[in-house]
Amino acid sequence: MTTRDSRTPVYGIAVAAQLSDLPEATLRLFESKGLLTPSRSDGGTRRYSDDDVDRLRRAAELRGDGLNIAGIQRVLALQDENAGLQSENAGLQSENAGLQSENAGLKSENAGLREGLGAD
């Protein structure tokens, strides 16, 4: 089974509007205010990815909570920044685990060398 990247643009505006339960005009408004930037086909037609639709849903939820466009923009930017930091943190944790393993190996090697030196 082929899996699709969630960033691959596949939906036209009508389908994205249905999936996000928003009017097409709202999608255009959100784009004009910089809340998202859908891809464009060679002919200039908007193409939305699954990630875009998720972002639209988050924006709609925030709007429903009473935030204005500027507030939605700030919250989405902070969510994006947080996701980036979480990803970076996961990478650093993985790197740290590798370094700890390498350090343990070096300690073991060092102990073996010391033992060899002490035997002389």
Side-chain angles (χ1 to χ4, degrees):
M1 181 169 106
T2 304
T3 58
R4 185 169 44 84
D5 186 337
S6 64
R7 295 167 300 193
T8 303
V10 292
Y11 307 116
I13 193 168
V15 174
Q18 285 180 333
L19 291 172
S20 61
D21 199 27
L22 292 168
E24 291 178 28
T26 301
L27 274 63
R28 290 185 195 96
L29 171 70
F30 285 176
E31 180 184 1
S32 73
K33 298 298 182 178
L35 297 180
L36 80 155
T37 307
S39 297
R40 297 279 182 158
S41 69
D42 291 339
T45 304
R46 290 173 180 86
R47 290 289 176 210
Y48 296 85
S49 67
D50 288 330
D51 286 349
D52 291 331
V53 172
D54 289 341
R55 189 173 184 85
L56 287 166
R57 288 178 181 146
R58 287 196 323 267
E61 184 179 318
L62 293 167
R63 193 177 196 195
D65 289 342
L67 272 70
N68 61 19
I69 296 291
I72 294 169
Q73 213 167 17
R74 185 67 182 134
V75 169
L76 292 177
L78 289 169
Q79 287 178 340
D80 292 344
E81 182 180 353
N82 187 39
L85 290 170
Q86 287 179 346
S87 176
E88 183 180 345
N89 187 36
L92 290 171
Q93 287 177 345
S94 177
E95 183 180 345
N96 187 34
L99 290 171
Q100 286 178 346
S101 176
E102 183 181 340
N103 188 35
L106 291 171
K107 282 182 178 179
S108 176
E109 184 180 332
N110 188 21
L113 290 172
R114 286 181 186 264
E115 188 176 298
L117 289 174
D120 287 346

